[in-house]
Amino acid sequence: MAEMILIVDDEAGVRELLGDALRIAGFETATAQDGMSALTAIRNKKPDLLIIDINMPLMDGFELVERLRLTNDLTPVLMLTAREDKGDIARGLKIG
């Protein structure tokens, strides 16, 4: 069975591009367009990896990961961002 990767990004094009590339590589994928819908998808799909955009409406990627960690969800996360601020990098590493 292929590993499940959840892609969380508010831009449909990014979700589609990443999803296509990962499926070609043999992974099963699911998508969510914001942090709130990601929480539901995580409960239902139990992904093995999360790819999360930082800049999203409703709940940004940082808040999403913080909420997951508060519930002891230690699913590995890759964070996507166009930001270059060292504070953002440090915050992402700190929250896991």
Side-chain angles (χ1 to χ4, degrees):
M1 184 166 160
E3 291 185 358
M4 162 62 74
I5 299 175
L6 178 64
I7 302 162
V8 186
D9 197 301
D10 60 322
E11 294 184 38
V14 172
R15 291 191 309 268
E16 291 172 17
L17 180 67
L18 286 173
D20 289 347
L22 290 167
R23 282 189 295 279
I24 289 168
F27 295 97
E28 184 179 344
T29 64
T31 61
Q33 64 186 14
D34 58 56
M36 295 304 288
S37 59
L39 290 174
T40 300
I42 291 165
R43 280 193 302 272
N44 294 334
K45 304 220 179 263
K46 307 287 188 233
D48 299 297
L49 175 69
L50 305 171
I51 299 177
I52 302 173
D53 183 26
I54 292 176
N55 296 319
M56 294 185 295
L58 304 178
M59 178 190 312
D60 70 21
F62 290 132
E63 185 179 350
L64 173 58
V65 174
E66 288 168 340
R67 285 187 182 204
L68 292 172
R69 298 308 186 237
L70 285 173
T71 63
N72 294 318
D73 184 327
L74 300 177
T75 304
V77 174
L78 295 175
M79 299 189 89
L80 298 177
T81 186
R83 296 180 183 184
E84 295 181 17
D85 184 65
K86 290 182 182 185
D88 288 335
I89 295 168
R91 182 176 178 194
L93 292 170
K94 182 178 178 182
I95 63 176

